[in-house]
Amino acid sequence: MKNNYTALKSGTDIRGVASDVFGRQVTLTDQAVKDITAAFVKWLSDKTQKPATQLKVAVGHDSRITAQAIKKGVIETLCAFSVKVYDCGMSSTPAMFMTTVDTDADGAVQITASHHPADRNGLKFFISQGGLDSSDINQIVSDAGTIDIPATLGGEVKKLDFMQTYSKRLREIICNELGVAQTDMPLKNFHIVVDAGNGVGGFYATEVLEKLGARVDGSLFLDPDGMFPNHIPNPEDKAAMKSICDAVKNSGADLGVIFDTDVDRAGCVDSSGTEINRNRLIALSAAIVIENNPGATIVTDSVTSDGLREFIEQRLSGKHHRFKRGYKNVINEAIRLCDEGINSPLAIETSGHAALRENYFLDDGAYLITKIIIKMVKLKQSGSSLEKLTAELKTPVEAEEIRFDIETENFKQYGNRVIYELEQFAGKNECYTVADDNHEGIRVSTGQGWFLLRLSVHDPIMPFNVESSVVGGVQTILKQLKPFFEGCEFLDITPLLEKIKK
């Protein structure tokens, strides 16, 4: 009988509750893992036009508590179809993609749920062209449970410590761009602290930075621990960012680096303890990329600030292309623009997902940090610093994000109706200007700030972002929009009312 695994699809990933450690019902069951892996084998066989017996698949995982059990299910299923398996053990997500580039693997499976709680886990799939798209995952969950899994295990399993290869590549990138040999220890005059949040990212301190001469004392939570006992491994989390900011200040480091659990996202902190995150991380990344790509188009998600656009277009003489939320959406848009002949070397979300064309448009936190470290070294050699590079970026005085729950079954249809009605409402306010280059929801400039209302990609939620260039501006905007939202019968506007009361 076919199982319905649609609920396990999360954008371009498979995610679910994999442990009852917090009392929640397990949805990513052992059978689900096997059925979905079997469907991936079918998909990969169709994609490569190879029989399963000729396929080679690399398998890795992050530090989560259910990683070993899920890996066992994945590998057993691959072997049942006589697929040759490379068992890469604990690995970063970007490294697992690179197995499809640097080895003869036809595909790769990474077992991860990014920054989500310890009881969750999931599967990400790669081929040499990149991560699978949403339509590919739709096909896999549709086929899952319809494929008979052979009872015998015929595949070969080979251990592969690919993280050593991946780390060596990052060291070589630093040395090559600085024009030195590794034996010259190009980072010997730098003190860089890493907060891995007990995820996979500790390797960056020990296998990349230390081996190039950097001091890494003061680094935090480098040891993998799938319960994440210290803080959520997430550059967007306030406690996580405070942790790395404090580490920089306490150690007097030149730079602080923080990764999410599986190292596809990153943030950093300058020597003063100031966050280089969200808009500032995009500004810094854009400055690095545009230096070798004059006039380039930088693709971001929809919630970036007006100050960032001004910085990219006026300070860097580039072009800012604001697109939809969702890292895969941003990446695919940059690829589309490149295919049309538009120079778009960087796709980056405010969440810290950053993909460079020179690196296969792979969202790779360690690669981004590597580029930032190279720039830091070059700036110091010329008497400058990372802080000066983004000093002209205008940041909002106030910023808020409110999330409205949609309390009706047809949430997408209702959400789109709310967006349409808000556009009509905004058009009646002479101080409001509806953005003409917006790709999701509605974005409106208020004269001293902006707001954006959009529909969540997957959930019955409408995120509402507000920024202001003046003190008290967010409250002003919320009060102006209160009458509109009070008329939205299926929106829970309690969060907005609570913000207005403060």
Side-chain angles (χ1 to χ4, degrees):
M1 182 179 296
K2 174 176 167 50
N3 291 294
N4 184 6
Y5 293 126
T6 304
L8 294 175
K9 178 181 181 289
S10 178
T12 55
D13 301 346
I14 298 295
R15 284 183 185 164
V17 177
S19 168
D20 62 1
V21 66
F22 297 143
R24 287 189 279 194
Q25 182 179 355
V26 172
T27 57
L28 188 63
T29 62
D30 293 344
Q31 190 61 50
V33 169
K34 291 179 179 181
D35 286 345
I36 290 168
T37 303
F40 173 63
V41 172
K42 178 182 182 298
W43 181 92
L44 186 61
S45 180
D46 291 343
K47 182 73 174 180
T48 60
Q49 294 296 292
K50 291 182 178 181
T53 54
Q54 294 180 15
L55 292 176
K56 301 179 181 69
V57 175
V59 179
H61 60 83
D62 67 17
S63 60
R64 294 178 172 276
I65 57 175
T66 52
Q68 293 299 329
I70 293 176
K71 183 177 79 167
K72 181 175 183 289
V74 170
I75 290 179
E76 285 183 354
T77 305
L78 293 172
C79 287
F81 289 97
S82 297
V83 174
K84 182 176 181 180
V85 178
Y86 296 127
D87 180 355
C88 297
M90 191 171 295
S91 305
S92 72
T93 292
M96 290 312 299
F97 163 75
M98 290 303 300
T99 63
T100 69
V101 176
D102 291 342
T103 79
D104 60 353
D106 299 290
V109 181
Q110 170 72 344
I111 300 163
T112 182
S114 186
H115 61 280
H116 288 277
D119 62 341
R120 293 178 67 84
N121 215 327
L123 305 171
K124 293 176 72 77
F125 303 105
F126 295 98
I127 55 176
S128 61
Q129 290 78 32
L132 272 60
D133 282 321
S134 179
S135 58
D136 301 318
I137 302 300
N138 284 338
Q139 185 63 56
I140 287 172
V141 295
S142 176
D143 288 340
T146 68
I147 301 168
D148 291 332
I149 301 173
T152 56
L153 304 182
E156 174 190 356
V157 181
K158 178 181 178 181
K159 294 284 186 180
L160 177 63
D161 185 4
F162 188 77
M163 286 303 293
Q164 290 295 323
T165 301
Y166 177 76
S167 299
K168 180 183 177 184
R169 174 175 177 263
L170 294 177
R171 296 196 303 268
E172 289 175 346
I173 289 169
I174 292 173
C175 292
N176 291 341
E177 291 209 25
L178 294 177
V180 298
Q182 182 173 324
T183 53
D184 293 329
M185 296 295 178
L187 301 182
K188 62 186 175 183
N189 295 320
F190 292 89
H191 184 185
I192 304 171
V193 293
V194 175
D195 185 333
N198 301 113
V200 177
F203 82 92
Y204 197 80
T206 57
E207 298 301 314
V208 180
L209 299 177
E210 270 195 320
K211 288 191 174 181
L212 294 180
R215 284 177 55 198
V216 297
D217 51 286
S219 292
L220 299 171
F221 319 132
L222 302 184
D223 295 330
D225 185 333
M227 289 300 293
F228 312 124
N230 295 290
H231 62 67
I232 298 170
N234 181 4
E236 288 191 291
D237 181 71
K238 290 182 179 179
M241 286 309 300
K242 183 179 185 303
S243 172
I244 188 61
C245 287
D246 289 346
V248 170
K249 294 173 186 176
N250 293 338
S251 65
D254 299 295
L255 184 72
V257 175
I258 184 167
F259 295 113
D260 74 340
T261 315
D262 60 327
V263 199
D264 60 359
R265 291 189 295 134
C268 51
V269 177
D270 67 27
S271 59
S272 69
T274 301
E275 293 183 19
I276 304 176
N277 210 20
R278 297 182 65 81
N279 287 292
R280 190 168 296 278
L281 181 65
I282 297 173
L284 176 58
S285 304
I288 292 170
V289 168
I290 289 177
E291 185 176 10
N292 294 319
N293 293 272
T297 295
I298 307 300
V299 181
T300 75
D301 59 1
S302 60
V303 299
T304 49
S305 70
D306 290 341
L308 178 66
R309 166 158 290 187
E310 182 179 321
F311 181 82
I312 291 174
E313 299 195 343
Q314 297 184 20
R315 173 68 178 81
L316 302 179
S317 299
K319 179 172 175 54
H320 182 200
H321 183 84
R322 248 188 328 244
F323 197 60
K324 300 175 182 178
R325 291 279 281 178
Y327 73 92
K328 192 65 173 174
N329 288 330
V330 175
I331 290 171
N332 286 345
E333 180 68 358
I335 293 172
R336 183 188 70 81
L337 291 174
C338 287
D339 288 344
E340 292 184 359
I342 299 170
N343 184 14
S344 305
L346 172 65
I348 181 167
E349 262 203 318
T350 49
S351 66
H353 280 287
L356 281 79
R357 180 178 56 203
E358 67 185 49
N359 190 45
Y360 307 97
F361 271 123
L362 171 67
D363 51 319
D364 184 345
Y367 188 88
L368 177 67
I369 292 300
T370 296
K371 297 292 289 187
I372 290 172
I373 287 173
I374 292 166
K375 188 62 177 177
M376 177 181 69
V377 175
K378 290 181 176 180
L379 287 169
K380 186 172 183 178
Q381 291 171 347
S382 65
S384 190
S385 65
L386 293 176
E387 293 93 322
K388 292 180 182 178
L389 199 60
T390 59
E392 295 180 32
L393 174 68
K394 294 179 182 178
T395 56
V397 174
E398 298 177 340
E400 290 283 357
E401 180 175 274
I402 298 171
R403 297 171 75 82
F404 300 122
D405 289 332
I406 303 177
E407 299 175 329
T408 183
E409 185 175 343
N410 297 321
F411 67 89
K412 287 190 176 181
Q413 181 179 352
Y414 180 73
N416 286 324
R417 193 180 95 194
V418 170
I419 289 168
Y420 171 78
E421 291 176 353
L422 180 56
E423 184 171 0
Q424 306 308 304
F425 179 88
K428 298 174 183 177
N429 188 323
E430 61 183 15
C431 296
Y432 286 178
T433 303
V434 178
D436 59 5
D437 64 342
N438 197 52
H439 291 275
E440 65 175 345
I442 175 174
R443 183 176 177 123
V444 176
S445 172
T446 66
Q448 293 182 320
W450 59 271
F451 62 83
L452 170 72
L453 181 69
R454 62 185 178 86
L455 187 60
S456 172
V457 178
H458 312 295
D459 303 314
I461 293 170
M462 298 198 78
F464 180 58
N465 293 84
V466 187
E467 287 191 3
S468 173
S469 58
V470 298
V471 175
V474 166
Q475 279 288 311
T476 298
I477 294 171
L478 295 182
K479 289 176 181 177
Q480 289 172 348
L481 295 175
K482 179 185 174 186
F484 171 80
F485 284 114
E486 286 177 331
C488 298
E489 59 179 326
F490 295 119
L491 278 192
D492 178 6
I493 66 168
T494 303
L496 179 140
L497 299 178
E498 290 175 350
K499 293 287 184 185
I500 291 176
K501 286 180 182 178
K502 290 183 179 179

